Amino acid sequence: MTATTVRVLSQYRSPEDIAEMIPGMTTAKLAQLRFRGEGPRYYKPTQKTVVYDVDDVAAWMESTARTGTAEAVC
């Protein structure tokens, strides 16, 4: 494996890793978000493997920003 490949692959994290990164998030909540087609973009390199790109997770988090409590969450 080249250094570039290792660097690129290190961008990918398991649902467990992502749940630890986001306060209040669980792997079950991530699974529900995937089921509903919401949440961060994810990849399925095998039938039973799910991974997230940390940049996609960060972009999704940024897209959930709110400036007040009156804003509806859909």
Side-chain angles (χ1 to χ4, degrees):
M1 220 181 275
T2 68
T4 301
T5 303
V6 171
R7 182 175 47 80
V8 169
L9 291 178
S10 70
Q11 284 282 112
Y12 297 101
R13 299 286 190 275
S14 69
E16 293 81 12
D17 292 339
I18 298 303
E20 287 182 18
M21 295 168 65
I22 303 171
M25 184 62 71
T26 65
T27 56
K29 286 181 185 178
L30 284 168
Q32 282 297 308
L33 290 170
R34 288 192 305 272
F35 179 78
R36 293 192 311 251
E38 302 171 1
R41 196 167 83 158
Y42 63 95
Y43 300 86
K44 287 189 61 81
T46 69
Q47 190 174 15
K48 294 186 177 186
T49 303
V50 173
V51 293
Y52 293 90
D53 183 316
V54 293
D55 291 337
D56 290 338
V57 173
W60 173 73
M61 287 290 296
E62 289 293 322
S63 76
T64 67
R66 303 289 186 261
T67 57
T69 58
E71 294 181 56
V73 177
C74 300

